[in-house]
């Protein structure tokens, strides 16, 4: 953060803080928010975390979860008042205000000092203080670095460390993605020193599936995976009926896209899902193919170079058609990567 001294001074008196994060928060979004919330509470601020929507059950173990206000679950008025009265609003793990739905305009119009902490590409310029780095693996990594820069790591504890570790673990794909830097490992080691229980967090996030979810993944792998070897692309298209059939809950489709990306020779992987509000898309890529640019150009989305999301107001069928028809324009980029796909090897 450029103006760290004035940021520290700003936080040296008690503030009424609202922390918010993106639509359908993931472990980095929620872990950063609850980790920062616990830290700021220890510094004597009053802090409320407001999420635009609900989030997966496998994140409910995080300390402070019970006090989170979910905006679209009948808490619109309360959220609006909290935002209006806030003296500080922290925006974590997103950098375009449309990513927080109706909350976006409330935050934009609020008189509070706004703080952006994020690692997504092409940020919007709305914050008074900003710690933004697209090279950071996770927002949780930036939160840790900010606390370290403020020389206040003595306030860290095992609950905060678990929250921040969860964000780093998931946004690096368990230390597998190219964003897994030396700094990531150093910070992880530090978080373990402050009490992060890496085995516990991994179990809570990855190994608490419902049987419905496991069966859904089996079904999707068997029946719903389309591979287009000529474009080095693989995708799943999932209907609303299929979600219902497997009693799908928020978070149950998370990670599905990685099975498509894990096929040898694939450059682009997608999951296209008919959610009630819109058709939602998750994109992943290998190498130089930018799914951030792809999602931004065609599906009102964005994210990172190798992991992004988007949406479409067309039907599932039309969206899949559009997705497939776009691939030819990207053929050269899609074919740059590695070996061709051999379906029967
Ligand atoms: P996921 O596929 O896991 O939902 O999202 C992948 C990455 O892209 C995450 O970092 C997520 O925050 C970001 N992302 C997902 N959907 C959108 C979107 O509609 N717009 C933008 N700007 N980013 C998105
Ligand atoms: Mn993140």
């Amino acid at each position: 953060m450029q103006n760290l001294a004035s940021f520290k001074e700003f936080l040296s008196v008690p503030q009424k803080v609202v922390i918010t994060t993106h639509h359908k928060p993931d472990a980095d979004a929620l872990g950063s928010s609850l980790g920062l919330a616990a830290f700021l509470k220890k510094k004597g601020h009053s802090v409320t975390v407001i999420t635009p929507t609900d989030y997966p059950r496998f994140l409910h173990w995080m300390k402070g979860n019970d006090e989170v206000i979910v905006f679209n679950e009948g808490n619109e008025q309360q959220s609006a008042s909290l935002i209006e009265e806030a003296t500080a609003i922290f925006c974590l793990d997103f950098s375009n205000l449309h990513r927080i739905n109706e909350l976006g305009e409330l935050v934009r119009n609020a008189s509070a000092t706004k703080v952006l902490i994020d690692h997504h590409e092409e940020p919007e310029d709305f914050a008074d203080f900003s710690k933004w780095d697209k090279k950071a693996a996770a927002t949780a990594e930036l939160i840790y670095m900010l606390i370290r820069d403020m020389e206040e790591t003595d306030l860290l504890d095992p609950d905060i460390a678990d929250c921040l570790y969860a964000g780093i673990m998931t946004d690096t794909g368990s230390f597998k993605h190219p964003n897994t830097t030396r700094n990531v490992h150093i910070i992880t080691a530090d978080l373990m020193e402050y009490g992060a229980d890496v085995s516990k967090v991994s179990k809570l996030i990855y190994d608490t599936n419902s049987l419905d979810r496991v069966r859904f993944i089996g079904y999707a792998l068997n029946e719903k995976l389309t591979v287009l070897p000529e474009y080095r692309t693989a995708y799943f298209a999932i209907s609303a009926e299929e979600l219902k059939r497997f009693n799908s809950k928020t978070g149950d489709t998370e990670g599905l896209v990685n099975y498509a990306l894990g096929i040898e020779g694939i450059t682009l992987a997608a999951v296209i899902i008919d959610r009630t509000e819109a058709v939602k898309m998750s994109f992943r890529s290998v190498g130089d193919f930018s799914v951030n640019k792809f999602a931004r150009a065609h599906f009102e989305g964005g994210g990172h170079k190798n992991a992004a999301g988007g949406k479409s107001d067309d039907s599932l069928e039309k969206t899949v058609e559009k997705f497939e028809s776009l691939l030819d324009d990207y053929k050269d980029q899609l074919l740059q990567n590695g070996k061709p796909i051999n379906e029967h090897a």
Side-chain angles (χ1 to χ4, degrees), residues 1 7 89-97 113-120 123-133 139 142 146:
M1 184 173 286
F7 182 67
I89 301 177
F90 284 73
C91 296
L92 306 190
D93 203 39
F94 71 94
S95 42
N96 293 91
L97 286 171
T113 297
K114 289 157 204 157
V115 186
L116 172 79
I117 307 176
D118 182 48
H119 66 139
H120 288 87
E124 193 179 329
D125 184 13
F126 65 87
D128 302 292
F129 292 103
S130 155
K131 185 161 182 69
W132 178 85
D133 183 357
T139 299
L142 294 173
L146 183 61

Side-chain angles (χ1 to χ4, degrees), residues 268-301:
L268 171 63
V271 172
I272 307 172
I273 303 181
D274 192 359
R275 303 268 181 215
T276 37
E277 66 284 14
V279 172
K280 295 279 177 168
M281 318 182 69
S282 255
F283 301 109
R284 298 290 185 274
S285 65
V286 174
D288 286 337
F289 185 83
S290 170
V291 282
N292 167 55
K293 287 194 183 132
F294 183 78
R296 228 167 253 275
H298 306 292
F299 295 106
E300 300 171 47

Side-chain angles (χ1 to χ4, degrees), residues 69-90:
I69 294 176
V70 181
F71 176 76
N72 74 345
E73 290 183 350
N75 300 314
E76 292 83 354
Q77 276 310 323
Q78 190 192 1
S79 305
S81 310
L82 283 161
I83 288 171
E84 203 181 303
E85 287 158 18
T87 55
I89 301 177
F90 284 73

